[in-house]
Amino acid sequence: MAGNSLVLPIVLWGRKAPTHCISAILLMDDVSMIVTGCHDGQISLWDLSFDLEINPRALLFGHTASVTCLSKASASSEKQYIVSASESGEMCLWDVNDGRCIEFTKLACTHTGIQFYQFPVGTQREGRLLCHGHYPEILVVDVTSLEVLYSLVSKISPDWISSMSIIRSHRTQEDTVVAVSVTGILKVWIITSEVSHMQDTEPLFEEESKPIYCQNCQSISFCAFTQQSLLVVCSKYWRVFDAGDYSLLCSVPSENGQTWTGGDFVSADKVIIWTEDGQSFIYKLPASCLPASDTFRSDVGKAVENLIPPLLFSVLDRADKQLLICPPVTRFFYGRRECFHKLLIQGDSSGRLCIWSVPDTLEVQDKTKGLEMTTSTSLQAAFHKLTPRPAGIIDQLSLIPNSNEPLKVTASVYIPAHGRLVCGREDGSIVIVPATQTAIVQLLQGEHMLRRGWPPHRTLRGHRNKVTCLLYPHQVSPR
Amino acid sequence: MAAAMASAAERAVLEEEFKWLLQEEVHGVLRQLQDILKEASHRFALPVGGTEGPIKQENFMLGTSSTDQVKGVLMLQGDALCQADINLKMPRNNQLLHFTFREDKQWKLQQIQDARNHVNQAIYLLTNRDINYQFKTGSEVLKLMDAVMLQLTRARNRLTTPATLTLPEIASSGLTKMFTPALPSDILVNFYINLNKLCLTVYQLHALQPNSTKNFRPTGGSILHNPGAMFECGSQRYEVSHVHKVECVVPWLNDALVFFTVSLQLCQQLKDKVRGLLAGDSLCFKRVSDLLKWMT
């Protein structure tokens, strides 16, 4: 839908919200909107109010495969752009204010992570997207044209990158990209302002390649509070490293067969790590991990088993344990604007978003209670709250006595040549209605509201069970 | 057949079957899948963190018949060619040219690394779903099978679909600079994996004169270019005069492809069983009616 003329589709959803099995989450910088991508390729925009009330606003259609990652794509607060990538290699640039797709491209490979960063180019800073995925390098992509400008490659053991973090050093004015490959090797690239400035840049080789023996790395985060440590979360353990020389400071294994799926720093001395089941744990780091303490780095060089372990501080659990068909997606966001919210946001396969607001001063929690969820809603819950209820296309013809729900439509085909919509229903009946007139009934008020059984329609009865498939052969081939 | 049956007894049977499916059958299939995929992963034989010792090196002879104008002996170590010995008989003057990789130079076959990584992703998806894990719904099983099948399909596609490259891309690939003695400027070389075979292609070029009357049409990307293909590199235009392709089957790639096919079948069969039960088709009734048909 790129282009100047905007065609706004209007959708008659019906009572049941569309499925939204969340696969990616993003919180916009001004904490006013949450963007979620799902396994079917749609992207949902949810408005977030000051008191953390969530309200789904729009559903963006564009991708044909599941959304793998989302990232912001603009720095300024006027343009709110995001970029999304899917399993089939599609990349889309969206304006989330009006839901327009501004740019679209398709690459041969899938991205599994994208981060927006402003690199210094000469005296200015230009926005770039750093992408990694099922290919052995990090691609630096122009944020407006979605073209690959250059790539960060490895000389030693080049392989797919699992996770990546960008560090800005105020001391040296250099930007460092730190990444972990699928074989557990830490890679470091240094991007100076000359590199970003060159046209047709040659690939940039890594500055350092250090095996850190981290298998199945899920995430890597740089501590924004101390600027001196790195958190690496793998599926069976999570570790803190010194960001200066990448030496190991502490390590925590997972318990009870749980799998860690990510984590982040919540303050200078606390980290939050979440699992595949949707539980999150806040740990207090030992003094040997804190640059401010006298015993910083006192454990460096010791074997993993002998490191002082962090203390479990608090557990964040879901209020209702609904049955999920795939692991939920959890991410921690630290708002940098007016409201310094620290939010843990989780989206799951039922189209539900849960938010925990992590207070700045965390007191020791009662271990059995944990930090309570602040708010939660789902697409279906939002649909239930609406009055009047969202209408389906032939609801007025599908009333069942003694039931609140209309008869379900189970198959349909639209015949443009005759302007007719044919709907098969779960009781075996087939209804043929004039398409535009039936839409008018739901959307507009008028004389038709007084007439019963309007629009004129035909009902065919013959099947005993729900209609599963309808075909109008003439539309497919005139013969 | 079973969807319309509302009888309580029949529904109870369906529920029992479904419980059995989620608790026993699914885990049996997943264990089989894990075993097969671990075998497949071993075929790709790459050490993890340098703890498993030196990777085995295998030699492959490409082009063994006496009529082949190109012969090559390639040494494959994991996902990289670590040595290449190529003999090329030039057609015009019957001159025999010989090239080898420069010392310590390796050519990485990205297709193999990608296929290996996809297999490992599939194994990872199955790792935490062993006998101790309780599946609560059929949809959960279907979603897991979809994710595993996606990785296996991708792994297979990486081996069956080599990259389409344009001739300028082949000329600037860095491979041309890896040989000693240096490749002459009218020879291009490319390696790739096609299905279970390691392939070596050699293109002999002839430079087009600027005042040539030939209609210059640069060729697009392709896995294998044909004689007559034209391209421009720098300020010089070329036309392909001869193409030589030799290949050799890599047995462990063959094994891996077989493992992919078997695993995909297992996943699909499990999906069909789960979907059937979710739709109300009883496996038990099907078997009984099959048995009856066989008996009568």
Side-chain angles (χ1 to χ4, degrees):
Chain A
M1 274 184 62
N4 285 329
S5 62
L6 192 59
V7 175
L8 274 180
I10 295 182
V11 183
L12 291 166
W13 289 111
R15 308 248 173 131
K16 206 153 168 265
T19 56
H20 194 66
C21 184
I22 296 176
S23 57
I25 295 184
L26 177 70
L27 177 69
M28 299 302 289
D29 267 353
D30 57 4
V31 198
S32 67
M33 195 187 326
I34 299 177
V35 184
T36 57
C38 79
H39 280 288
D40 292 324
Q42 290 98 47
I43 295 172
S44 181
L45 306 178
W46 312 65
D47 284 330
L48 194 59
S49 70
F50 262 140
D51 45 0
L52 296 185
E53 248 190 53
I54 318 172
N55 195 32
R57 171 161 61 90
L59 200 60
L60 308 178
F61 286 76
H63 286 294
T64 56
S66 77
V67 175
T68 50
C69 50
L70 294 168
S71 164
K72 71 173 186 183
S74 64
S76 65
S77 46
E78 307 97 51
K79 296 193 291 179
Q80 287 204 304
Y81 285 2
I82 63 158
V83 68
S84 59
S86 79
E87 277 279 0
S88 53
E90 296 155 348
M91 248 177 110
C92 289
L93 183 67
W94 306 89
D95 179 337
V96 291
N97 276 326
D98 56 15
R100 269 182 315 141
C101 178
I102 299 163
E103 195 60 60
F104 171 85
T105 185
K106 188 160 171 162
L107 294 167
C109 297
T110 311
H111 296 312
T112 51
I114 303 181
Q115 272 186 45
F116 173 80
Y117 198 74
Q118 286 185 293
F119 285 110
V121 177
T123 48
Q124 303 212 297
R125 297 185 76 85
E126 276 184 23
R128 299 269 187 270
L129 295 168
L130 264 70
C131 313
H132 64 90
H134 295 172
Y135 40 86
E137 54 206 346
I138 295 180
L139 301 176
V140 181
V141 173
D142 179 80
V143 76
T144 31
S145 64
L146 297 186
E147 273 175 22
V148 178
L149 296 170
Y150 59 98
S151 44
L152 308 178
V153 299
S154 313
K155 269 211 167 95
I156 302 174
S157 312
D159 213 329
W160 292 4
I161 300 290
S162 300
S163 27
M164 159 186 86
S165 180
I166 309 168
I167 302 173
R168 170 136 191 82
S169 164
H170 295 285
R171 215 170 18 98
T172 59
Q173 296 296 306
E174 277 173 344
D175 296 308
T176 310
V177 178
V178 179
V180 181
S181 74
V182 293
T183 45
I185 300 184
L186 186 83
K187 297 207 173 278
V188 180
W189 287 267
I190 298 189
I191 302 190
T192 57
S193 53
E194 296 97 56
V195 169
S196 322
H197 199 45
M198 292 196 283
Q199 308 278 5
D200 267 338
T201 318
E202 292 288 305
L204 189 67
F205 288 101
E206 80 267 43
E207 189 67 25
E208 193 176 338
S209 222
K210 178 177 171 160
I212 54 170
Y213 309 106
C214 285
Q215 294 307 310
N216 297 315
C217 175
Q218 305 290 310
S219 74
I220 180 169
S221 333
F222 180 62
C223 180
F225 306 94
T226 63
Q227 307 262 317
Q228 284 186 274
S229 29
L230 278 173
L231 172 70
V232 176
V233 180
C234 303
S235 58
K236 289 298 168 198
Y237 44 79
W238 59 266
R239 297 186 166 161
V240 177
F241 292 85
D242 181 331
D245 63 359
Y246 312 112
S247 44
L248 180 61
L249 298 175
C250 76
S251 176
V252 176
S254 64
E255 297 166 49
N256 302 329
Q258 282 178 332
T259 309
W260 301 123
T261 50
D264 209 336
F265 284 92
V266 294
S267 66
D269 65 341
K270 294 194 192 66
V271 293
I272 187 166
I273 322 281
W274 46 85
T275 69
E276 204 178 39
D277 324 340
Q279 280 188 312
S280 311
F281 299 82
I282 299 185
Y283 286 87
K284 186 167 158 57
L285 296 175
S288 58
C289 296
L290 303 174
S293 105
D294 298 329
T295 50
F296 181 51
R297 291 179 59 96
S298 56
D299 274 356
V300 172
K302 290 196 200 161
V304 173
E305 310 81 58
N306 298 333
L307 301 171
I308 305 171
L311 293 171
L312 181 58
F313 203 73
S314 180
V315 179
L316 286 66
D317 211 343
R318 305 158 57 83
D320 61 299
K321 306 270 203 161
Q322 238 184 342
L323 291 177
L324 300 177
I325 54 174
C326 63
V329 177
T330 316
R331 275 188 70 179
F332 178 75
F333 296 97
Y334 176 51
R336 269 165 270 267
R337 295 295 158 104
E338 305 91 42
C339 36
F340 276 72
H341 275 305
K342 291 180 185 175
L343 298 177
L344 184 76
I345 306 184
Q346 188 176 88
D348 65 32
S349 62
S350 63
R352 172 165 291 274
L353 272 182
C354 301
I355 301 186
W356 289 263
S357 175
V358 181
D360 263 325
T361 48
L362 267 176
E363 286 107 35
V364 182
Q365 306 278 321
D366 174 6
K367 292 253 180 69
T368 49
K369 206 175 73 152
L371 190 67
E372 275 178 14
M373 197 163 63
T374 309
T375 182
S376 160
T377 193
S378 68
L379 277 185
Q380 188 59 59
F383 270 52
H384 276 316
K385 280 199 284 202
L386 293 171
T387 47
R389 303 285 293 278
I393 187 83
I394 51 166
D395 273 359
Q396 78 286 10
L397 302 172
S398 308
L399 300 166
I400 313 177
N402 305 324
S403 169
N404 269 332
E405 300 291 324
L407 198 53
K408 277 197 220 143
V409 173
T410 50
S412 66
V413 68
Y414 173 58
I415 307 171
H418 297 283
R420 285 204 166 9
L421 177 67
V422 183
C423 298
R425 302 192 290 196
E426 64 180 342
D427 67 347
S429 60
I430 299 175
V431 177
I432 307 179
V433 283
T436 35
Q437 285 165 325
T438 213
I440 290 174
V441 168
Q442 303 298 347
L443 296 170
L444 302 174
Q445 291 183 325
E447 277 186 1
H448 58 263
M449 291 173 72
L450 302 169
R451 303 188 206 145
R452 262 190 329 170
W454 208 85
H457 60 279
R458 282 179 65 187
T459 309
L460 310 175
R461 293 185 199 279
H463 288 288
R464 281 181 299 146
N465 299 326
K466 73 177 183 199
V467 179
T468 53
C469 170
L470 288 168
L471 178 67
Y472 182 60
H474 192 71
Q475 187 164 269
V476 179
S477 159
R479 291 185 65 233
Chain B
M1 142 184 117
M5 286 194 278
S7 132
E10 281 149 349
R11 239 205 300 267
V13 169
L14 281 175
E15 271 177 37
E16 280 301 307
E17 276 195 31
F18 205 67
K19 250 189 351 198
W20 163 81
L21 185 77
L22 287 185
Q23 285 166 5
E24 312 263 338
E25 177 82 349
V26 166
H27 286 297
V29 172
L30 294 187
R31 202 169 33 244
Q32 257 188 300
L33 264 176
Q34 275 193 308
D35 291 340
I36 297 176
L37 292 181
K38 288 225 169 81
E39 274 301 314
S41 177
H42 283 146
R43 294 291 189 277
F44 287 93
L46 243 100
V48 156
T51 47
E52 284 173 22
I55 323 159
K56 65 178 195 293
Q57 297 172 335
E58 301 167 295
N59 282 332
F60 294 98
M61 310 246 295
L62 282 70
T64 41
S65 100
S66 53
T67 51
D68 281 325
Q69 290 180 294
V70 174
K71 290 203 206 319
V73 178
L74 303 177
M75 188 182 293
L76 183 66
Q77 191 174 35
D79 60 8
L81 289 172
C82 51
Q83 265 188 53
D85 209 289
I86 302 178
N87 285 306
L88 179 60
K89 202 186 315 187
M90 302 295 284
R92 0 168 224 255
N93 46 13
N94 259 349
Q95 185 193 10
L96 193 67
L97 297 176
H98 178 239
F99 305 100
T100 56
F101 272 177
R102 280 161 46 197
E103 205 173 298
D104 289 345
K105 288 286 184 192
Q106 287 195 339
W107 183 248
K108 188 160 153 239
L109 291 166
Q110 191 57 43
Q111 287 172 273
I112 299 184
Q113 185 178 74
D114 288 349
R116 168 180 52 96
N117 284 340
H118 279 299
V119 171
N120 287 341
Q121 293 264 30
I123 294 176
Y124 179 70
L125 287 166
L126 295 170
T127 315
N128 302 313
R129 300 288 181 269
D130 61 8
I131 194 76
N132 299 317
Y133 183 84
Q134 283 198 354
F135 286 97
K136 307 278 185 346
T137 60
S139 309
E140 210 185 334
V141 177
L142 291 176
K143 199 130 192 115
L144 177 64
M145 288 296 99
D146 281 336
V148 171
M149 286 173 81
L150 178 68
Q151 294 305 321
L152 295 178
T153 311
R154 291 265 164 91
R156 187 171 58 183
N157 287 347
R158 289 306 284 131
L159 297 178
T160 57
T161 324
T164 43
L165 297 170
T166 61
L167 286 160
E169 280 169 343
I170 298 178
S172 56
S173 72
L175 186 55
T176 39
K177 302 191 197 75
M178 284 182 44
F179 291 94
T180 176
L183 278 185
S185 54
D186 59 349
I187 302 259
L188 288 183
V189 170
N190 191 23
F191 297 110
Y192 56 84
I193 301 283
N194 189 8
L195 211 70
N196 57 352
K197 298 188 282 278
L198 176 58
C199 305
L200 160 65
T201 51
V202 177
Y203 296 100
Q204 272 181 280
L205 310 172
H206 111 90
L208 288 174
Q209 298 307 317
N211 53 3
S212 158
T213 47
K214 272 198 179 154
N215 191 10
F216 179 74
R217 271 169 303 114
T219 332
S222 175
I223 298 171
L224 185 66
H225 291 272
N226 293 319
M230 301 183 203
F231 71 100
E232 188 161 350
C233 192
S235 48
Q236 181 68 51
R237 288 178 172 181
Y238 298 95
E239 185 187 6
V240 175
S241 58
H242 291 89
V243 177
H244 308 283
K245 176 166 162 266
V246 282
E247 53 193 30
C248 177
V249 170
V250 178
W252 59 261
L253 275 181
N254 203 31
D255 294 346
L257 284 166
V258 169
F259 289 144
F260 295 159
T261 307
V262 171
S263 316
L264 283 166
Q265 274 173 0
L266 274 175
C267 292
Q268 187 60 52
Q269 281 165 4
L270 184 60
K271 272 181 68 177
D272 292 339
K273 279 190 196 150
V274 172
R275 271 214 223 102
L277 274 183
L278 281 177
D281 284 337
S282 163
L283 292 170
C284 173
F285 289 140
K286 227 166 115 179
R287 289 200 188 128
V288 167
S289 67
D290 283 347
L291 193 63
L292 287 174
K293 262 192 278 184
W294 188 77
M295 280 165 54
T296 52

